[in-house]
Structure formats: C-alpha cells, structure tokens
Amino acid sequence: MTTPFDRLSALPLRDNLRGLHPYGAPQLDVPILLNVNENTHGVPHDVRQAILAAVEESVGGLNRYPDREFSQLRDNLADYLGHGLDRSNIWAANGSNEVLQHILLAFGGPGRSALGFPPTYSMYPLLAGATGTAYVTGERRADFNLDADSAARQVKETGANLVFLCSPNNPTGTAISTDVIEAVYSAGADAQAIIIVDEAYAEFAHQGTPSALALLEGRERLIVSRTMSKAFALAGARLGYLAAAPAISDALRLVRLPYHLSAITQATANAALTHSARLLANVEEIKAQRDRIVGEIGSMGLVPVPSDANFVLFGGLANPHEVWQGLLDAGVLIRDVGIPGHLRVTAGTEPETTIFLDRLRELVTPTVS
C-alpha cells in the first residue's frame, strides 16, 4: 500500500523537509473535544447575528479586492489592545501562524537562526524549517519556567536572529515575567535579534499577570503576537495579529501575499471586535474551570502545572496513553503533547469538565515515587 511518505520520496522535496510530519492534532468525532485549546463556549447568538450582517454587507463588494491595508481592522485591534497603540503598530494575517510565518520570511531565512525554549509551541520549528531558518533549542527549568539570566545567556551564546517567547507557554501554561523579556531583549542587541512574545492565551492569564505590550515603547525589535482564535471563540475565522513598532509592519509588507486578508475575514473580525465585551464574557468561566481542573487533578495525586492559559498540563501518569485512550473511550478527547508522563486538557464548559474529571478519577494510577 502506498503511503504519503512513499509518494513524497518520489518528489524532489527540499532536504530539510524530508521525514517531517505535518502539524496537526487528531481530528476525531467525539462528544467532548478538549484537545486543541479552543473556546468551548462558542459565539453568542447576538454576536453571530452581528457577524452575519457584516459579512452580508461585504458580499456586495466581493467582485473587488479587499482593503489591502485592512485599515479599519487595524484601528479596531489597536483600540482593543490599548497601551497607546494605533494602526501603525498593528499587523494581522490568517491566524497567528501566518503572522509568525511573515516574521520569519522577513527576518529569518537561510543563514539565520531562531531560538525556542521547548517544550513550547510545536509550530515554531516547523515554520522555521519552511522558511529555511535554522531552529535552535534552548532549555527551561524543571518546572517549565524560564529564568532571566539563563535565557539571556542562551540568547547571547546562540547569536539567534529571532527568539520565540511563548507566554502563557503552550503546552505548559506557564507565563513569562517581564524581567525575562527585558533580559532577552537586551541580550539580543548585538545580533539585532527580533524578540517575539507569543501571547495567544493572554486573556486567560491570572489577574496581575503582565503583558509584553507594556514593554513595546522604545523597543523596535520586540513583537507581541496575539490571536482571536482563543478568547474570542473565533478559531474558525483565522485571524491573528501583532503589535510592534511601525517599522515591523513595513517589513512584513515585503513578504505578505497580495490582499492576504479577505473581505469576509475582515468583516468578521471587525464585527467581533465591536462586540468584544460580549465575546470575552465567558473568559472568567473558562478560567474558573481551568482552576477547578488544577485543584481536582492535584487531589487525585497527579501533578498539574500552574496555568495562565485555558488549558492544564498535568503529570504523574504511569501510562499516559492508557489514560488518553480511556478518556477517548468515554467520548473525551484530550492531547498527548509528547512530554513523558504528561497529558494536556483544555478547560471546557462546566458539564464537559465534570465528565472529564469523573472519568480521569476512574482511570489514573499516580506514579509511585
């Protein structure tokens, strides 16, 4: 039987892509999906109606190309973020992955390198490889946190041209303190390194957790990446964005495809931002379920990692795959992220979380120390 890898071997594929697997979590038809950190609450009815009205209005002009500069969207995103930002500080694309791809196309490439600190978002090395950028792996502490001195030292030693700091980090949920970001930014001065703080889950952070947005002024090599997929419940709309010095957007215009944001995408995002308070109303409920998961998993003798995201990584599992399969057999899909003894679960609705916790309690056999 011919496999995809058999077919690929017959093609003149680039050497650095041979043997790679495409990104993607299992897509299974089960009642409770808690594996890819989606917002399980969905889009409220009144916001759906507003989006439908905005899309319907945009359809009348689909014979024309969309606004290449997505000006209204950049205004709305700047207003949402605050911090004195305006449209010149904003860039957007089809999901934050395309935003990161634009950054790598502009500042990475052959002869350049990007530094990440695994375990972290698995798309970083894939995006680096696709753009011909060497990917260098740094180290975290055993508790999955980053130390300012250690991170700065690694930036200097590698001479990386780009540095990925994911905060809250996926898949661990750990947030990065601003002193780490400041230290990494300073350490990258000699290489003129672009520092990317990926804040895809920022809206779920505990109160008082700082955002890198507060550090942007005076730091022209600092980029803060965000998304509307998570807190805004718009994973299917594919809208990611960043905030940075205006020169960053100027650079990304050199590598973006023409008219890369469709009129329908822009209309959807603008309508959603107009109703941001309504869309974000479920964030506190999601955070409550996340904290519930941390507490109840801990009471089972397992080891949850403190999380500032909408998911929880937990360890202490003697056989993670058996637990994963046992949950799947009960109609609950969570994520094996490849960290020995660990699994990751998205915070669902209250009923979804209850079903997950009840079944997990039946399945777990904590590791004996």
Side-chain angles (χ1 to χ4, degrees):
M1 179 179 178
T2 303
T3 70
F5 286 98
D6 293 328
R7 294 193 293 270
L8 283 174
S9 66
L11 294 174
L13 196 66
R14 279 169 29 201
D15 289 341
N16 71 316
L17 297 181
R18 292 190 179 279
L20 295 183
H21 293 266
Y23 174 85
Q27 290 187 308
L28 304 176
D29 185 15
V30 297
I32 300 177
L33 296 170
L34 303 177
N35 65 324
V36 289
N37 304 335
E38 295 160 322
N39 186 324
T40 56
H41 287 259
V43 179
H45 178 75
D46 54 337
V47 183
R48 291 204 304 268
Q49 295 304 115
I51 290 173
L52 284 170
V55 168
E56 183 177 20
E57 183 176 350
S58 74
V59 167
L62 287 185
N63 59 310
R64 303 293 184 184
Y65 286 114
D67 175 11
R68 186 177 60 238
E69 292 300 307
F70 45 99
S71 304
Q72 182 184 354
L73 177 57
R74 288 160 62 215
D75 285 340
N76 288 337
L77 287 167
D79 288 344
Y80 169 69
L81 292 178
H83 292 273
L85 301 171
D86 61 38
R87 72 166 63 167
S88 70
N89 301 110
I90 304 297
W91 186 254
N94 295 284
S96 58
N97 288 327
E98 188 177 58
V99 170
L100 298 177
Q101 183 183 59
H102 285 170
I103 295 169
L104 283 160
L105 285 169
F107 300 105
R112 299 192 177 194
S113 64
L115 172 64
F117 297 90
T120 191
Y121 186 34
S122 59
M123 275 301 297
Y124 298 154
L126 293 177
L127 288 166
T131 57
T133 309
Y135 187 72
V136 183
T137 55
E139 295 180 349
R140 293 177 176 268
R141 297 192 325 221
D143 63 0
F144 301 119
N145 282 299
L146 274 178
D147 174 82
D149 291 338
S150 173
R153 174 181 53 78
Q154 293 178 73
V155 170
K156 279 184 172 291
E157 289 177 351
T158 61
N161 304 101
L162 302 100
V163 181
F164 289 108
L165 298 174
C166 191
S167 181
N169 185 48
N170 179 11
T172 64
T174 45
I176 296 175
S177 61
T178 52
D179 68 311
V180 173
I181 300 169
E182 291 174 305
V184 165
Y185 187 88
S186 296
D190 290 343
Q192 286 294 286
I194 299 294
I195 312 301
I196 305 136
V197 184
D198 184 349
E199 292 190 344
Y201 300 93
E203 286 91 348
F204 300 103
H206 288 91
Q207 187 172 1
T209 302
S211 166
L213 291 170
L215 302 178
L216 283 174
E217 187 173 356
R219 294 183 173 89
E220 294 204 343
R221 294 179 288 106
L222 181 62
I223 296 173
V224 182
S225 174
R226 293 282 189 101
T227 183
M228 295 184 73
S229 293
K230 310 301 182 181
F232 278 82
L234 290 177
R238 310 310 300 131
L239 196 291
Y241 59 102
L242 64 73
I248 296 294
S249 292
D250 293 337
L252 302 188
R253 286 184 178 88
L254 301 175
V255 298
R256 59 106 178 261
L257 294 174
Y259 309 103
H260 70 289
L261 278 179
S262 76
I264 290 175
T265 298
Q266 293 183 46
T268 299
N270 282 321
L273 286 161
T274 303
H275 296 81
S276 60
R278 182 78 174 92
L279 278 166
L280 296 176
N282 288 322
V283 167
E284 290 304 316
E285 167 60 19
I286 293 168
K287 290 165 66 175
Q289 295 306 315
R290 173 202 63 201
D291 295 342
R292 176 190 173 198
I293 290 170
V294 170
E296 294 200 28
I297 282 180
S299 71
M300 297 178 200
L302 300 176
V303 185
V305 178
S307 176
D308 275 281
N310 70 333
F311 57 83
V312 178
L313 179 74
F314 59 99
L317 296 165
N319 193 323
H321 183 74
E322 285 186 7
V323 174
W324 181 88
Q325 186 64 56
L327 288 163
L328 181 61
D329 292 342
V332 181
L333 179 61
I334 67 170
R335 188 76 173 267
D336 183 345
V337 293
I339 301 175
H342 289 73
L343 292 170
R344 190 193 70 191
V345 61
T346 307
T349 62
E350 191 278 332
E352 289 173 335
T353 302
T354 297
I355 292 170
F356 159 72
L357 289 168
D358 287 348
R359 180 57 179 149
L360 180 65
R361 193 173 287 107
E362 296 170 354
L363 291 166
V364 296
T365 304
T367 301
V368 177
S369 57

